[in-house]
Amino acid sequence: MRRKRRRVWILCSLLLVLLIYVHGWYQTLDEKFLELHTCPACYGQALCASLIENEHSSPSQNEIVLTGFSSWKIMKFFNVKNVFYGQSGENSVVLKKLAHDSELYEFDQKLCKSVKETENCDPSQAVKLFVNKVSSSISQVISRYPHLFETTDGIKCNHNRSIESLYEQYIRIDSGPYNRHHFLTLLAVNMEPLILNAYQHHWFPSLRGMCGRMIVEDYVGPTLTQMSKVPWIIRADYARQLLELAQDLSDGEFRLYMTDVSLDNFAVDSNGKVKMIDAENIVVVDPSFHGLDTTEHINDGFGCRDCLSFSFEDLCGHTSSDHNFFAICKGILSSSAFSRDLPEGLLHTPPLWITEDHSSLLSLVEDCAGVTDDPTSHVLPTRRKAAAALHSQLITVIRKSNDSS
C-alpha cells in the first residue's frame, strides 16, 4: 500500500514538473492570456498598453504585472474563477475575466448561433455580423435575442432608459469604432464593469479599464469573511456601512438591487471603508418606467428560509423595494444569516454592555431581517423603519465606544 502511494506521489510530481516545463513557470500578460483574438467580442482594448509586455520599451509607471500565485502559470489550471492579482506601481490591482472558461465558451457558441455561423465559428467575426444585423436600440436587441443575455441579472427588467444610460457612460471610456460590440459582450457575459463605470459609487472599487477579455480594478482589501472575527465594535461599523449601502443603492435615480449577497462579495479597505467587490449580480430598475407599481415592494422571504429569496418580476415591477435591506439584514447581519462562513451573523457575540444597555439593537436586526409565511402580514412593511432605527443605534454605540476609548 505504501509503495502504491509513493508511486502515485512520484507520478504526480513528475506530471507537475512536466507541466511547468511545457508551459513555463511564470504567466505573462500576453495576447493569448488576455484572449485578444476574440476582439471585438471582448470587453475593450483601452488598457492594453499597460497590460501587454513590450520587450522593445522600458517599463512604464502604469504597467501592470501579475503577483504572487497569480504569476504562476500552472495556477491557471486551478483558478476556475479567473480572478488574478497584480501590481501597478505602488497600487495593488485585481484582474478579472468575469466568467469561467466554460461560460465564455458558451457565450461564443450562443453568439455564433445568433448569426447562424456554427461551423468553425470565429467570435470576433460573429460579433461583427451580429452588430451589423441588429441596428435597433439595445433594449430591442435584448428582447429579440433573450438566449444571449439570459444569464445577466442587470438587464432582467430591460428598462430602455437605464440601459441607454449605461451605454452613454460606457462610450466615455471606449470611444472607438467597436464600443457597441464591447458593450453588448459585457451585457451578455458580466455587467460588473458597466455598473462600476456608470455609477462610480464609493461603495465600488475603481475600474481601471479593459483589455481583451480581462478587466482591471483597484484591489480593496480583505473580505468580510476574513474580517468576521475582528472586535465587535469594528464589525458594528461594517454593519452601519452596509445599511448605508443598502439605502444608497435603493434610492438613486436608478435602483440597484443586490441578488447575490455574501461576505466574500464585500471587502474592507485600509481606511476601514466597506466596498462591494463583486457587482455582477445587480438588478437595475428605472423607477420612471411607465406602468410600474408605485407602492413599495416588500420582500417577504417566501419560498426560501436559508437563501436570498426574490422575484425579478417584483423588483422590476415596482418603483421601490425594501429588498436591499432584507438582503443585508437577513443575509449578513442576523443571527440566522444564510452565510456558510458565518451563519451566526456579522454581529455575533456582542459585548455585555451592548446586551445590557442596548438590548433593542439585536432585536432591531431581527426585525429588519424578519420573514413571514403569511403574505397578509403587516409586520414586514416596517423593515425600512427597523433598518433606520438599527442604523441610528449602531451610530450611538460606535460613538460611545470611541468616547470611552
Side-chain angles (χ1 to χ4, degrees), residues 34-36 39 42-49 51-52 209-216:
L34 299 170
E35 298 189 36
L36 273 176
C39 289
C42 62
Y43 314 144
Q45 293 178 263
L47 198 65
C48 290
L51 281 174
I52 299 176
M210 290 77 82
C211 177
R213 287 186 172 175
M214 186 76 74
I215 72 164
V216 180

Side-chain angles (χ1 to χ4, degrees), residues 239-282:
R240 171 192 66 82
Q241 294 183 62
L242 288 171
L243 289 170
E244 291 172 2
L245 177 150
Q247 181 78 50
D248 287 353
L249 298 192
S250 300
D251 295 336
E253 178 185 2
F254 298 106
R255 317 302 197 212
L256 306 180
Y257 296 122
M258 299 173 284
T259 58
D260 181 15
V261 175
S262 73
L263 294 174
D264 282 334
N265 287 350
F266 300 91
V268 183
D269 70 13
S270 57
N271 296 314
K273 304 299 182 184
V274 174
K275 294 180 184 290
M276 184 187 300
I277 57 173
D278 187 344
E280 175 184 3
N281 301 109
I282 290 181

Side-chain angles (χ1 to χ4, degrees), residues 147-215:
H147 67 283
L148 196 59
F149 305 96
E150 62 187 351
T151 61
T152 307
D153 285 359
I155 52 177
K156 293 296 185 184
C157 302
N158 199 12
H159 292 162
N160 183 66
R161 192 173 74 94
S162 62
I163 293 171
E164 290 300 328
S165 175
L166 286 173
Y167 184 55
E168 288 171 7
Q169 294 296 324
Y170 178 74
I171 60 179
R172 292 184 180 183
I173 61 171
D174 184 352
S175 57
Y178 294 117
N179 58 51
R180 191 175 178 90
H181 306 66
H182 299 152
F183 183 78
L184 288 170
T185 298
L186 285 167
L187 278 186
V189 175
N190 188 325
M191 280 181 57
E192 178 170 322
L194 301 179
I195 296 290
L196 268 55
N197 174 65
Y199 301 109
Q200 297 180 5
H201 277 296
H202 62 91
W203 300 118
F204 299 131
S206 296
L207 175 69
R208 291 190 168 229
M210 290 77 82
C211 177
R213 287 186 172 175
M214 186 76 74
I215 72 164

Side-chain angles (χ1 to χ4, degrees), residues 8-19:
V8 170
W9 277 109
I10 292 173
L11 184 60
C12 290
S13 299
L14 289 173
L15 181 60
L16 181 62
V17 170
L18 180 62
L19 284 171

Side-chain angles (χ1 to χ4, degrees), residues 185-404:
T185 298
L186 285 167
L187 278 186
V189 175
N190 188 325
M191 280 181 57
E192 178 170 322
L194 301 179
I195 296 290
L196 268 55
N197 174 65
Y199 301 109
Q200 297 180 5
H201 277 296
H202 62 91
W203 300 118
F204 299 131
S206 296
L207 175 69
R208 291 190 168 229
M210 290 77 82
C211 177
R213 287 186 172 175
M214 186 76 74
I215 72 164
V216 180
E217 303 170 1
D218 281 345
Y219 172 75
V220 174
T223 66
L224 284 184
T225 299
Q226 296 167 301
M227 302 296 284
S228 62
K229 303 300 181 183
V230 299
W232 187 89
I233 200 67
I234 296 177
R235 286 182 275 119
D237 190 56
Y238 298 160
R240 171 192 66 82
Q241 294 183 62
L242 288 171
L243 289 170
E244 291 172 2
L245 177 150
Q247 181 78 50
D248 287 353
L249 298 192
S250 300
D251 295 336
E253 178 185 2
F254 298 106
R255 317 302 197 212
L256 306 180
Y257 296 122
M258 299 173 284
T259 58
D260 181 15
V261 175
S262 73
L263 294 174
D264 282 334
N265 287 350
F266 300 91
V268 183
D269 70 13
S270 57
N271 296 314
K273 304 299 182 184
V274 174
K275 294 180 184 290
M276 184 187 300
I277 57 173
D278 187 344
E280 175 184 3
N281 301 109
I282 290 181
V283 174
V284 183
V285 177
D286 175 11
S288 70
F289 191 78
H290 179 71
L292 299 190
D293 191 332
T294 56
T295 60
E296 178 164 76
H297 160 248
I298 306 300
N299 191 332
D300 58 12
F302 183 75
C304 183
R305 310 291 293 190
D306 300 313
C307 67
L308 182 54
S309 173
F310 64 92
S311 160
F312 287 117
E313 183 178 354
D314 286 336
L315 294 179
C316 296
H318 290 75
T319 58
S320 64
S321 173
D322 71 350
H323 171 81
N324 283 335
F325 297 100
F326 171 70
I328 293 298
C329 290
K330 178 69 175 98
I332 293 180
L333 304 184
S334 78
S335 60
S336 58
F338 41 71
S339 168
R340 293 180 180 178
D341 300 307
L342 199 68
E344 66 271 30
L346 188 64
L347 294 175
H348 65 86
T349 57
L352 187 60
W353 67 274
I354 291 294
T355 56
E356 290 181 346
D357 301 342
H358 300 275
S359 57
S360 63
L361 188 150
L362 296 180
S363 63
L364 285 171
V365 174
E366 304 309 320
D367 287 344
C368 180
V371 297
T372 179
D373 291 325
D374 180 6
T376 64
S377 171
H378 297 289
V379 176
L380 289 176
T382 64
R383 179 175 287 125
R384 274 193 189 248
K385 185 177 179 181
L390 172 60
H391 179 259
S392 179
Q393 284 245 18
L394 287 168
I395 290 177
T396 299
V397 299
I398 291 167
R399 285 176 178 168
K400 184 182 291 188
S401 176
N402 290 338
D403 291 341
S404 62

